[in-house]
Amino acid sequence: MSDQGYRPPFYLGIDLGGTSIKSGVVDGDWRPLPKPAASVDTPTSRVKSIHDEALDALQRAADHAIEASGLAWSDIEAVGVGSPGTMDIPAGLLLEPPNLPGWEHFPIREVVADRLNKPTTLQNDANAAAYAEYRAGVGRGTRSLVMFTLGTGIGGGIIEDGRIISGRHSHGAECGHIIIQMEDARRCPCGGLGHLEAYASATALVKRAHEALDRGEESALRARAAERHLTARIIDEAAEAGDALATRLMRETAHYLAVGAVTLIHTIDPDIVVFGGGMTAAGPSFLDAIRAGIRAMAFPVPAARVRVEYAELGPDAGFIGAAGCARQEREATITVGG
Amino acid sequence: MSDQGYRPPFYLGIDLGGTSIKSGVVDGDWRPLPKPAASVDTPTSRVKSIHDEALDALQRAADHAIEASGLAWSDIEAVGVGSPGTMDIPAGLLLEPPNLPGWEHFPIREVVADRLNKPTTLQNDANAAAYAEYRAGVGRGTRSLVMFTLGTGIGGGIIEDGRIISGRHSHGAECGHIIIQMEDARRCPCGGLGHLEAYASATALVKRAHEALDRGEESALRARAAERHLTARIIDEAAEAGDALATRLMRETAHYLAVGAVTLIHTIDPDIVVFGGGMTAAGPSFLDAIRAGIRAMAFPVPAARVRVEYAELGPDAGFIGAAGCARQEREATITVGG
């Protein structure tokens, strides 16, 4: 790989998702090899524990990534795994991740370390994505970053002075589950009331569109809703085409996200707030609406200075960040040990 | 002092407030000398800049503390100053603190360091109080703490893995200014809509009581309100005596605080959430109501494990924490330098 200038240290990242496991190597300059990541299907089972199959799948994904990178396993310093919750990060243990049936109580860090014979780090996937944007994406050069990942739900990651806030009970940076409304509040899929995710996820946006249509509001969205084809993307496209209801729904979504961002600006006060995930396909006008809300609601000094941007790395952020977490942990250990 | 077992290193803390400047020394075991702090009046002026008087007052407070401690200036490693906002912490500069007229744009860190001839640290007073509880108060032995200081307003402090989150623009941990309500929201004294402080400060509690009385609700509070003597303390006492309106107002206040705490539990996920300030005079039933709200609304794992307590150090937290911040900065510098 020397003709492309990749240079050590090399870390392998594994991004464990409900449908696929993506893996790739990141070089000393945080460049991914390969890009896009190598991928294998995620085995799941609703009837039994499948820890052996799970480990085999993780190894296959990692082996594919090594092969695609042109490196040897001996070039790899350590392995990072990013996983959806719930988990016990210090124990390296998955608990009961809703999107990974059959993986419950899987001691993932230890078994991956044993199988791949590499020091292994476990991190929440949203925290890993935030770390990737901080190191290799739109947050390069900053010291603190708050990230919202907008998809079916809303994930989050917080980097403060270069360190991931994963929380004392591995429940830090659940930025979709901050409370933005107390009275007559919407219920979140997690069961909580008034959470940001209940207002501003793609799922919530579609739900709010159906509610408005059910109230009889006129909109180009009505035909698609009747076909049960309403999606966040379609609502955004209707807004771009000038549909009044769709425009209002997108503007409200931006406002809800700005409210959530202001709460984190008034507590973390980061260099940059980053929005990632599928809903960023809505493009610059949606980002500008979020920015305008933040400028209007945050304290003057951070309102004037905080950067508000879309993420840069797309779906590769998962494995880049997982590898980055492994690197961070290893370098911290070496520093302390040395 | 050796017969009382005080031992080095000694740090001097100065707690700068709108009416008085309190100062004291903290020993190597985080014990304050003297307790309560030495105190002088805070000079202020609405018509001119009073930087010279301000510095003289800071020195008098510090000198009183040294005298009361029985130590000599040569025993003091460094000085910490805790001040109300606004400020630029990295620059050591007060900006336009609303409670300190005449102190605007005062380069407090540099002038105190020059006058007292000691390395000097500036920190937000609420952050300093949180650091004091973390090191010397109810948070001893933890690694992360979120604190709400309940008074006329609501201040905040966040310690994460032993470090103060003061924010990139010195606006971190403004826990009173997280948004808990978007629609039909109350306006905060800072101008923002839906902030926790607009619902749950002592001022907000009294305002809500007046509103209920204006709506014609029956209550023992009515006579005191007519005399314009309604205070948070009186409302709490009426609640303890069984008054229905007062009971509901206190219960609602506890709920609002629990909502704010849950947002920070879902982002910081600390070991402990601490409530300090004058409103903690409401006693154990108020704390229990806050706890119950948190247990009901937070994710199950942190809900079961996070501690929720009143602060222990009272008004001494300010100077203890200011001294503690000086110690933390000095020890971090020595570690890096060594």
Side-chain angles (χ1 to χ4, degrees):
Chain A
M1 302 304 290
S2 63
D3 55 345
Q4 298 192 18
Y6 291 111
R7 56 186 202 89
F10 296 103
Y11 286 83
L12 182 103
I14 300 176
D15 179 22
L16 171 55
T19 54
S20 68
I21 302 170
K22 299 193 183 87
S23 184
V25 176
V26 175
D27 91 337
D29 295 322
W30 303 95
R31 285 179 301 175
L33 330 40
K35 175 180 168 62
S39 180
V40 305
D41 290 346
T42 304
T44 56
S45 168
R46 303 232 165 244
V47 295
K48 64 184 170 86
S49 179
I50 52 163
H51 291 186
D52 290 345
E53 291 165 67
L55 180 56
D56 289 344
L58 292 165
Q59 183 177 13
R60 275 201 307 282
D63 284 340
H64 288 185
I66 294 292
E67 195 179 342
S69 73
L71 298 170
W73 267 109
S74 57
D75 295 319
I76 304 299
E77 301 285 332
V79 172
V81 179
S83 171
T86 54
M87 68 189 67
D88 181 335
I89 294 172
L93 181 70
L94 302 188
L95 297 176
E96 300 186 341
N99 297 326
L100 294 172
W103 294 61
E104 291 81 4
H105 307 288
F106 186 33
I108 189 166
R109 188 180 65 204
E110 187 182 328
V111 299
V112 168
D114 284 353
R115 179 69 71 93
L116 302 182
N117 200 25
K118 295 286 174 187
T120 299
T121 298
L122 173 65
Q123 186 51 267
N124 175 291
D125 56 357
N127 293 349
Y131 194 71
E133 292 292 341
Y134 163 72
R135 276 292 191 187
V138 69
R140 279 184 312 276
T142 68
R143 291 299 297 163
S144 54
L145 172 152
V146 167
M147 182 163 169
F148 295 88
T149 303
L150 312 175
T152 310
I154 295 183
I158 302 175
I159 314 298
E160 210 283 319
D161 199 17
R163 296 158 55 261
I164 296 169
I165 297 189
S166 52
R168 190 59 174 177
H169 315 97
S170 306
H171 279 70
E174 292 283 2
C175 303
H177 302 279
I178 64 178
I179 298 173
I180 61 168
Q181 175 79 6
M182 294 184 299
E183 293 159 10
D184 297 321
R186 292 179 178 274
R187 192 168 291 280
C188 187
C190 80
L193 279 171
H195 291 188
L196 177 60
E197 178 171 313
Y199 288 81
S201 69
T203 313
L205 172 61
V206 170
K207 185 164 182 230
R208 286 162 36 226
H210 279 292
E211 289 172 0
L213 293 168
D214 289 347
R215 286 194 303 266
E217 294 195 37
E218 272 318 305
S219 167
L221 298 174
R222 185 167 299 281
R224 304 302 292 269
E227 296 164 8
R228 305 219 134 263
H229 280 159
L230 213 48
T231 64
R233 188 61 175 273
I234 287 168
I235 296 168
D236 170 50
E237 287 166 358
E240 293 290 332
D243 182 77
L245 172 61
T247 301
R248 197 189 77 219
L249 290 167
M250 292 303 294
R251 201 175 53 221
E252 285 170 354
T253 305
H255 175 70
Y256 300 146
L257 292 170
V259 167
V262 166
T263 281
L264 289 175
I265 289 167
H266 288 177
T267 46
I268 305 299
D269 182 17
D271 284 303
I272 183 168
V273 177
V274 177
F275 293 89
M279 280 179 69
T280 61
S285 63
F286 186 59
L287 180 60
D288 283 342
I290 299 171
R291 283 176 174 150
I294 290 171
R295 306 289 179 225
M297 290 187 285
F299 283 138
V301 173
R305 296 196 194 161
V306 68
R307 289 171 57 204
V308 180
E309 304 286 352
Y310 279 154
E312 279 183 6
L313 300 174
D316 286 335
F319 86 83
I320 295 172
C325 292
R327 180 172 172 182
Q328 187 205 36
E329 185 164 301
R330 192 146 175 84
E331 290 179 346
T333 309
I334 290 166
T335 305
V336 171
Chain B
M1 305 302 293
S2 63
D3 55 345
Q4 298 190 18
Y6 291 110
R7 56 186 201 89
F10 296 103
Y11 286 83
L12 181 105
I14 300 176
D15 179 23
L16 171 55
T19 53
S20 69
I21 302 170
K22 300 195 183 84
S23 183
V25 176
V26 175
D27 91 337
D29 295 322
W30 303 95
R31 285 179 300 175
L33 328 42
K35 177 181 166 64
S39 181
V40 306
D41 291 346
T42 303
T44 55
S45 169
R46 304 235 163 240
V47 294
K48 63 184 170 83
S49 180
I50 54 162
H51 292 185
D52 288 345
E53 291 165 66
L55 180 55
D56 288 345
L58 291 165
Q59 182 177 14
R60 275 200 309 282
D63 283 340
H64 289 183
I66 293 292
E67 195 178 344
S69 73
L71 298 171
W73 267 110
S74 57
D75 295 319
I76 304 299
E77 302 284 332
V79 172
V81 179
S83 171
T86 55
M87 66 189 67
D88 180 335
I89 294 172
L93 181 70
L94 301 188
L95 296 177
E96 300 185 342
N99 296 325
L100 294 172
W103 294 60
E104 292 82 4
H105 307 287
F106 185 33
I108 189 166
R109 188 180 65 205
E110 187 182 329
V111 299
V112 168
D114 284 352
R115 178 70 71 92
L116 301 182
N117 200 25
K118 296 286 175 187
T120 299
T121 298
L122 173 65
Q123 187 51 267
N124 174 291
D125 56 357
N127 293 350
Y131 194 72
E133 292 292 341
Y134 163 72
R135 277 292 191 187
V138 70
R140 279 184 312 276
T142 68
R143 291 299 298 164
S144 54
L145 172 153
V146 167
M147 183 164 169
F148 295 87
T149 303
L150 312 175
T152 310
I154 295 184
I158 303 175
I159 314 297
E160 209 284 319
D161 200 18
R163 298 158 54 261
I164 296 169
I165 297 190
S166 52
R168 189 61 174 177
H169 315 96
S170 306
H171 279 71
E174 291 283 3
C175 302
H177 302 280
I178 64 178
I179 298 173
I180 61 168
Q181 175 79 8
M182 295 184 298
E183 293 158 11
D184 297 321
R186 291 179 179 274
R187 192 169 291 280
C188 186
C190 79
L193 278 171
H195 292 190
L196 177 60
E197 178 171 313
Y199 287 80
S201 69
T203 313
L205 172 61
V206 170
K207 184 163 182 232
R208 286 162 36 226
H210 279 291
E211 289 171 359
L213 293 168
D214 289 348
R215 286 193 303 267
E217 293 195 38
E218 271 318 304
S219 167
L221 298 174
R222 185 167 299 281
R224 303 304 290 271
E227 295 163 7
R228 305 218 134 265
H229 280 158
L230 214 48
T231 63
R233 187 60 175 272
I234 286 169
I235 296 169
D236 170 51
E237 286 168 358
E240 293 289 332
D243 182 77
L245 172 61
T247 301
R248 197 188 77 219
L249 290 167
M250 292 303 292
R251 203 175 52 222
E252 286 170 353
T253 305
H255 176 71
Y256 300 146
L257 292 170
V259 167
V262 167
T263 281
L264 288 175
I265 288 167
H266 288 178
T267 46
I268 304 299
D269 182 17
D271 284 303
I272 184 169
V273 177
V274 178
F275 293 89
M279 280 178 69
T280 62
S285 64
F286 185 59
L287 180 60
D288 283 341
I290 299 172
R291 283 177 174 149
I294 290 172
R295 305 290 178 226
M297 289 187 285
F299 283 138
V301 173
R305 296 196 193 159
V306 68
R307 289 171 59 204
V308 180
E309 304 287 351
Y310 279 155
E312 279 183 7
L313 300 174
D316 286 335
F319 86 83
I320 295 172
C325 292
R327 180 173 173 181
Q328 188 205 35
E329 184 164 301
R330 191 144 176 85
E331 291 180 345
T333 309
I334 289 164
T335 305
V336 171

